[in-house]
Amino acid sequence: MMDVEPGCRFCLANALLVDTPILDTEHFYMLGSIDPMVPVAGMLIPKRHSDDPFGLSPVEWADFGNALAAAKAHFAPRKPDGFTLGWNVGAVAGQHVFHAHLHVIPRFRGEPNEGVGIRRVLRTPSWAANA
């Protein structure tokens, strides 16, 4: 039986999703973006509840490559020029739903944030500017 966290909106058994998964593998499913600021994006989510990716099992990690390849194939018709992939782990890192999920964001030449990736956070952390 899958681990389920009562009240977790990403645990499928709780039936709390506001949208329908757009793909799945043995251990993961993907939701499309419902954020109007990032309309072309998705989240890969493990079917078993884990607060963060550090709790994923070796079997889940073995299937993760399949899930990531399926996500890339899903976005291929849009012909992205790159991708930004990211996990937020913990509230201080921006995690709002405490069920592991990887953000998959196709990137396109000419978009307003072209060239801006997750490294910007590491280059100029907000706390450093006030130190």
Side-chain angles (χ1 to χ4, degrees), residues 25-97:
T25 65
E26 185 177 356
H27 295 282
F28 293 87
Y29 69 94
M30 187 168 92
L31 294 177
S33 178
I34 59 173
D35 182 346
M37 298 297 291
V38 188
V40 180
M43 291 184 295
L44 284 176
I45 304 167
K47 293 177 180 177
R48 181 185 65 84
H49 184 86
S50 177
D51 288 348
D52 58 54
F54 296 111
L56 296 177
S57 72
V59 171
E60 289 164 324
W61 281 115
D63 185 45
F64 182 71
N66 297 325
L68 198 55
K72 184 178 181 187
H74 172 80
F75 292 116
R78 293 185 172 267
K79 299 184 181 352
D81 298 301
F83 286 87
T84 295
L85 305 174
W87 305 92
N88 295 319
V89 179
V92 299
Q95 187 176 8
H96 299 284
V97 178

